[in-house]
Amino acid sequence: MADQPLSRPADKPLTKFHQGGLLSGKEALGDGLQARGQWASKAEFLLAVAGQIIGLGNVWRFPYLCYKNGGGVFFVPYLLFLVLCGIPLFLLETSLGQYTSLGGVSAWRTICPLFGGLGYASQVMILHGCVYYIVILAWALFYLFYSFQAELPWSHCNNTWNTDACFLFDKYNQTTNGSSVPENATSPVMEFWEREVLRLSSTLDELGPVSWKLALCLAVVWLVCYFCVWKGVKSTGKVVYLTATFPYVMLFVLLVRGATLPGATQGIVYYLKPNITRLADPQVWMDAGTQIFFSYGICLGSLTALGSYNKYNNDCYKDSFMLCLLNSATSFLAGFAIFSVLGFMAEEQGVDIASVAQSGPGLAFIAYPRAVAMMPVPQLWAVCFFLMIIMLGLDTQFVSLEALMTSVTDLYPHVIRRGYRRELLLLFVCVVCFLIGLVMVTPGGLYVFQIYDHFSCSGASLLLLSIFQSLAIGWVYGAERFSDNIKDMTGYTPLAVFKLCWKYLTPAVCTATFIFSLVRWSPLNLGKGLVAPLWATTLGWILTLSSVSLLPIWAVYALITTPGTLPQRFHRLCSPAEKSSMAFQHLSTNGSPLTYSPVLPLSEKPKEQIIELLQDKKT
């Protein structure tokens, strides 16, 4: 049953089809349509979702936010957002995919047609993410190649790209009292990052030529991603065994190594030292909310797509709890690995840890490489760290790509699931994203990257989609009905608090956070004293609107094209699709879909009818 799209709990399982059972592997159905596919085991699903949600944000963003926002006190707003928004929306998206056996777009069009724009918006956000997120992996691969040199190039000032201002602060702090630091002095790790890796320009207006070294790294990473996804869940499900587990091995190795370094205790104290007064700062709550949305992959459609390859009676309820716990625990433990090393670096340089603690690219490509250069056998630790960064980002990237392909394929199954059309479409997507990404490997590329990162998959976009997802399920489709659907799949009813969250708490918290983000909005700071100019900010908001605007556009389009009076149109578009989901269409050899009875709601799907139809096919 590996390729059976939807397995219904019934007295007699759907075990055979055609003459030899359900098709698997590369076999095609009677009309040449290839089977949709399904996870070969539950482990593949868990590892794929873990790979998607556990990414660079857990390692380079959460520890810094914890330190910045009051240490251990940060867990109060973080856990509140986790309970009220993170877990309810995570369960909503995963179970939606499993129940419909469809990707993000088709699932929403089936369950609540008026809100079909949610699916389209999430796919556009995935597409934006695929363009810029992979650039981080190109940077990491660049560092990895340089890590095999006899002496790490960012540990000294004898490179061709170094300037006269290059200065070894760590050796200076160990031998002097800090009375005569050269004016405008820069560290070798900073010069390596800015002058060799990025070749950074002084303003956003100077994009400059493409860096062939970074472009080559970007091409290599895209090539790897392509071959991870090209055969659908068959290839993705196998690759995640490596990409989802290897970072944990490296994280454990770095954690053990970091804990044995001098100054590690100081770093961990800074990481967790509680500061109760920080709870009064609204920005702390905003940081906690955005971290939950970013790290849990909510509203990107990927959870729905991955859940759609599950068997119908998979326990998605327990899976959601387990994966959410794993995600947050990983973030927490990563803080120990990162801050123990930062504490070591602060002690080695004789400075306060506040001067070395950074977030984002600054942590991964400046602070940590600098700390690694101070360790014995630095090449080994550099290779371990950058392999971990690559693996953490790689599975997030290719699983997002798989989610995008799933949604597009489910929209046009009879067109794409034939021959090698899926592979060719995937190749086209990869090539286009690669060509757009070349803008980000120019001297001004870092600034373009920051604009993409801040606007395309921004907090505003995610929050708006979260609000409308909750409204669609909680009020239009019905929280009680959706809870019954989960019971139909798992055998037991979810906690009543989930219905409360879907209807009231999640949309209320998301709305409040969204309003606060607008009130506190300010132009994007690009670093080095640069603020995004008006044209760049305008471009950024266009990126945001390119996804969010699809919600009203789809709603208007659906209302115009649906027959009947206006009240009839609203009634039809706010009711589940009368016919079966497109996931069932490939069960028919003559092209006609197997439909549900139009008089029954989705919560009362006639399983026996489907079984009888399949039995008729066999005879």
Side-chain angles (χ1 to χ4, degrees):
M1 293 176 62
D3 287 325
Q4 180 184 323
L6 200 58
S7 168
R8 300 283 179 180
D11 295 332
K12 192 168 183 179
L14 310 178
T15 53
K16 293 204 174 181
F17 188 55
H18 284 259
Q19 299 180 9
L22 286 173
L23 300 167
S24 60
K26 299 180 181 178
E27 293 178 89
L29 298 171
D31 59 353
L33 192 66
Q34 293 178 350
R36 186 176 188 270
Q38 196 176 56
W39 299 117
S41 67
K42 186 184 183 73
E44 288 187 2
F45 165 69
L46 294 176
L47 287 173
V49 178
Q52 159 69 15
I53 65 177
I54 298 170
L56 299 174
N58 300 73
V59 173
W60 76 11
R61 194 167 186 265
F62 178 84
Y64 176 79
L65 288 178
C66 208
Y67 153 76
K68 170 191 166 189
N69 293 312
V73 170
F74 182 67
F75 283 99
V76 174
Y78 179 83
L79 291 174
L80 189 65
F81 272 96
L82 174 62
V83 171
L84 297 182
C85 299
I87 298 177
L89 289 174
F90 191 95
L91 174 63
L92 185 156
E93 294 191 27
T94 306
S95 53
L96 175 65
Q98 181 172 312
Y99 187 68
T100 61
S101 277
L102 290 168
V105 176
S106 302
W108 282 108
R109 287 178 58 175
T110 299
I111 210 92
C112 191
L114 185 65
F115 287 83
L118 283 168
Y120 289 104
S122 65
Q123 300 315 304
V124 171
M125 290 177 68
I126 285 182
L127 204 55
H128 287 321
C130 285
V131 169
Y132 83 87
Y133 190 84
I134 200 168
V135 176
I136 304 170
L137 306 185
W139 295 337
L141 189 62
F142 192 97
Y143 271 84
L144 182 64
F145 287 145
Y146 275 79
S147 298
F148 290 99
Q149 296 189 13
E151 187 177 10
L152 293 179
W154 57 84
S155 64
H156 60 86
C157 294
N158 301 324
N159 304 290
T160 56
W161 58 82
N162 289 131
T163 65
D164 294 335
C166 183
F167 193 77
L168 292 172
F169 288 94
D170 50 333
K171 294 182 180 178
Y172 177 80
N173 285 327
Q174 292 174 12
T175 56
T176 72
N177 58 9
S179 58
S180 58
V181 177
E183 189 177 355
N184 298 324
T186 57
S187 64
V189 68
M190 184 65 78
E191 290 205 345
F192 178 76
W193 169 240
E194 292 184 352
R195 296 180 61 82
E196 174 62 6
V197 181
L198 300 177
R199 308 197 175 197
L200 193 62
S201 64
S202 56
T203 68
L204 181 57
D205 298 317
E206 302 173 15
L207 279 182
V210 171
S211 166
W212 70 269
K213 290 182 181 179
L214 273 181
L216 191 60
C217 290
L218 187 63
V220 169
V221 180
W222 265 119
L223 196 64
V224 172
C225 280
Y226 175 79
F227 285 108
C228 287
V229 183
W230 75 318
K231 289 299 180 185
V233 290
K234 287 187 174 298
S235 56
T236 306
K238 301 300 180 287
V239 176
V240 289
Y241 278 103
L242 171 65
T243 58
T245 56
F246 182 81
Y248 281 97
V249 176
M250 289 295 98
L251 195 61
F252 178 74
V253 169
L254 293 170
L255 177 62
V256 172
R257 177 56 185 152
T260 59
L261 292 170
T265 305
Q266 175 195 359
I268 293 171
V269 168
Y270 266 84
Y271 169 46
L272 295 176
K273 186 178 180 180
N275 181 4
I276 303 295
T277 59
R278 295 289 292 145
L279 288 177
D281 185 357
Q283 187 61 43
V284 174
W285 296 81
M286 183 68 182
D287 284 345
T290 53
Q291 176 62 15
I292 288 292
F293 284 104
F294 280 117
S295 66
Y296 277 76
I298 293 169
C299 299
L300 295 178
S302 52
L303 296 176
T304 304
L306 295 176
S308 72
Y309 292 109
N310 275 333
K311 294 179 181 178
Y312 181 78
N313 56 0
N314 175 64
D315 196 341
C316 56
Y317 184 66
K318 287 182 179 177
D319 289 349
S320 296
F321 276 104
M322 186 163 52
L323 288 163
C324 289
L325 176 64
L326 178 66
N327 189 11
S328 293
T330 302
S331 299
F332 179 65
L333 289 176
F336 287 95
I338 297 299
F339 269 84
S340 60
V341 174
L342 295 182
F344 159 75
M345 191 165 80
E347 181 167 299
E348 284 287 293
Q349 296 181 34
V351 298
D352 189 86
I353 196 171
S355 63
V356 297
Q358 300 182 56
S359 180
L363 174 62
F365 300 110
I366 299 173
Y368 213 93
R370 190 174 179 184
V372 163
M374 300 176 186
M375 297 181 186
V377 199
Q379 292 85 353
L380 172 64
W381 302 110
V383 169
C384 287
F385 177 73
F386 289 112
L387 275 177
M388 181 183 75
I389 292 293
I390 290 170
M391 292 294 184
L392 277 171
L394 188 61
D395 49 11
T396 300
Q397 176 76 16
F398 72 68
V399 170
S400 297
L401 205 56
E402 174 63 48
L404 178 66
M405 292 302 300
T406 296
S407 295
V408 176
T409 304
D410 284 343
L411 273 176
Y412 308 103
H414 289 277
V415 176
I416 299 174
R417 286 212 302 267
R418 297 178 187 276
Y420 291 95
R421 293 182 185 181
R422 186 188 188 278
E423 288 86 344
L424 291 173
L425 176 62
L426 176 64
L427 181 63
F428 174 76
V429 171
C430 291
V431 170
V432 170
C433 289
F434 167 73
L435 293 176
I436 298 174
L438 288 177
V439 179
M440 300 181 202
V441 294
T442 60
L446 180 64
Y447 306 130
V448 180
F449 172 88
Q450 288 176 293
I451 291 169
Y452 247 90
D453 183 41
H454 187 75
F455 288 101
S456 64
C457 300
S458 66
S461 304
L462 294 175
L463 287 168
L464 279 173
L465 263 61
S466 299
I467 293 168
F468 283 103
Q469 275 193 8
S470 302
L471 292 177
I473 292 297
W475 293 95
V476 180
Y477 182 73
E480 188 70 41
R481 177 194 276 179
F482 195 68
S483 183
D484 289 342
N485 296 156
I486 296 176
K487 180 182 178 181
D488 189 44
M489 292 186 290
T490 63
Y492 53 88
T493 306
L495 292 172
V497 69
F498 283 106
K499 289 183 282 188
L500 195 63
C501 285
W502 292 328
K503 292 190 72 173
Y504 304 106
L505 299 179
T506 301
V509 170
C510 291
T511 302
T513 309
F514 175 70
I515 293 172
F516 174 76
S517 68
L518 292 180
V519 171
R520 293 291 294 267
W521 184 86
S522 60
L524 176 63
N525 184 0
L526 299 174
K528 289 187 171 294
L530 291 176
V531 176
L534 179 61
W535 67 266
T537 302
T538 304
L539 179 63
W541 281 109
I542 290 174
L543 287 172
T544 299
L545 291 174
S546 67
S547 58
V548 175
S549 63
L550 294 178
L551 273 75
I553 289 173
W554 170 262
V556 171
Y557 169 78
L559 284 169
I560 291 174
T561 56
T562 301
T565 64
L566 191 60
Q568 289 174 337
R569 295 178 189 184
F570 268 108
H571 182 267
R572 174 175 286 188
L573 292 173
C574 290
S575 304
E578 292 179 347
K579 292 187 177 182
S580 69
S581 66
M582 282 182 282
F584 280 98
Q585 292 183 11
H586 67 274
L587 289 179
S588 173
T589 54
N590 60 11
S592 59
L594 306 178
T595 61
Y596 302 131
S597 171
V599 298
L600 291 177
L602 278 181
S603 57
E604 300 175 18
K605 292 179 179 178
K607 309 174 186 64
E608 295 78 7
Q609 179 186 352
I610 298 172
I611 295 170
E612 290 170 5
L613 285 168
L614 287 176
Q615 293 297 326
D616 292 340
K617 289 289 180 186
K618 291 194 300 178
T619 57

